Amino acid sequence: MQNEITERVFYLRERIAVAAACAGRSPDEITLVGVSKRHSSESVRAAWDAGVREFGENYIQEARDKCAQLGELPGLRWHLIGGLQSNKARLAVALFDVVQTVDRLSLAQVLSREAEKQEKELAVLVEVNLAGQENRAGVAEPEALALCEQVAALPNLRLCGLMGMAPLRADAEAIRPHFARLRHLYEALPEANRRVLSMGMSGDFEAAIAEGANLVRIGTALFGQRPSVSTT
Ligand SMILES: *Cc1c(COP(=O)(O)O)cnc(C)c1O
């Protein structure tokens, strides 16, 4: 497994470097987040050994198990990339370094209060719905900037940018306008909130990099096909 994952990380970094070069950008600008949902802690450790430091998880319970098993790995940072219910905010604040899925003010307020209690500053991204009816996650595009302003004003949260997912069935060229719209929203944020533009997954990260992504969330192309049931 180690060799396979090391090879995939190497190949992915090549593809990221080529996509960055094509866009006239440096590959150093682009953070690779390994999406480890439904993959084992051993897979995460193998990717860490291959130099990956940022990991994305979708489910709180699964993340809690992996944090317990891997908490000691130096430099490892966890991103929550799945939808969050307010009643799990306490655990989310305790487990994650970045919450990428803030899509409503009520959730941001709960996270802010929890972060205050836990004496943490939590990095957050606002998730924007780029897929319309196909996907209910994310704030609607016309409301995104207003939500960002409200989130940025809350104590103990640091608004770092935006996250979005293109519609899943579109082909690579059809996807680019969705990423371009997210970039335009990102460019409208105040400078202090423009750190992270999270877009692009295994099937479309090159298009996302061409449109300005500086964080890509890669699961399948790094860890292989996801098992259908949890391995932890
Ligand atoms: C699962 C997931 C990914 C990774 O998807 P792959 O196609 O396996 O790379 C990225 N982002 C989010 C929000 C996800 O839920």
Side-chain angles (χ1 to χ4, degrees):
M1 180 175 71
Q2 179 68 61
N3 286 346
E4 213 176 328
I5 287 181
T6 304
E7 262 171 43
R8 289 210 195 96
V9 169
F10 183 82
Y11 180 53
L12 261 176
R13 294 218 184 272
E14 291 271 307
R15 284 175 65 190
I16 289 170
V18 169
C22 289
R25 304 173 59 200
S26 160
D28 302 338
E29 292 173 27
I30 296 158
T31 302
L32 168 62
V33 172
V35 174
S36 46
K37 64 169 173 253
R38 289 198 252 127
H39 288 285
S40 65
S41 300
E42 290 70 40
S43 299
V44 173
R45 189 184 296 272
W48 185 89
D49 281 335
V52 180
R53 289 294 176 270
E54 320 265 335
F55 293 90
E57 282 287 337
N58 292 58
Y59 310 105
I60 300 285
Q61 182 59 47
E62 197 182 330
R64 178 157 69 172
D65 295 344
K66 282 178 199 161
C67 283
Q69 285 156 14
L70 298 166
E72 82 287 4
L73 287 182
L76 190 154
R77 281 160 48 86
W78 292 108
H79 296 244
L80 179 63
I81 62 168
L84 178 61
Q85 292 168 303
S86 294
N87 61 5
K88 304 244 174 74
R90 186 182 56 77
L91 261 176
V93 170
L95 294 171
F96 289 96
D97 299 288
V98 186
V99 172
Q100 295 204 6
T101 48
V102 172
D103 62 359
R104 56 199 189 277
L105 182 61
S106 59
L107 174 62
Q109 287 167 330
V110 175
L111 287 171
S112 168
R113 278 197 296 275
E114 273 304 331
E116 205 168 352
K117 275 190 216 154
Q118 297 182 32
E119 296 177 0
K120 272 180 83 162
E121 192 189 45
L122 181 70
V124 298
L125 305 182
V126 162
E127 179 180 3
V128 180
N129 181 352
L130 300 175
Q133 301 297 334
E134 279 178 51
N135 182 355
R136 287 180 305 131
V139 61
E141 288 174 52
E143 279 115 58
L145 290 175
L147 177 61
C148 285
E149 203 178 315
Q150 291 171 310
V151 171
L154 291 171
N156 296 69
L157 296 188
R158 190 170 71 255
L159 177 65
C160 296
L162 301 178
M163 184 272 232
M165 258 162 110
L168 286 173
R169 284 182 301 281
D171 66 67
E173 277 312 300
I175 278 169
R176 282 190 58 162
H178 297 280
F179 290 143
R181 295 201 315 278
L182 192 62
R183 189 195 61 223
H184 284 133
L185 283 173
Y186 180 75
E187 284 167 351
L189 290 174
E191 206 277 327
N193 306 127
R194 283 199 312 270
R195 295 290 171 270
V196 179
L197 178 55
S198 169
M199 56 188 196
M201 322 197 327
S202 293
D204 58 18
F205 71 88
E206 280 133 332
I209 289 171
E211 292 295 347
N214 61 16
L215 181 153
V216 292
R217 308 178 308 268
I218 312 278
T220 311
L222 199 165
F223 292 111
Q225 286 297 327
R226 277 184 283 279
S228 49
V229 281
S230 174
T231 54
T232 55

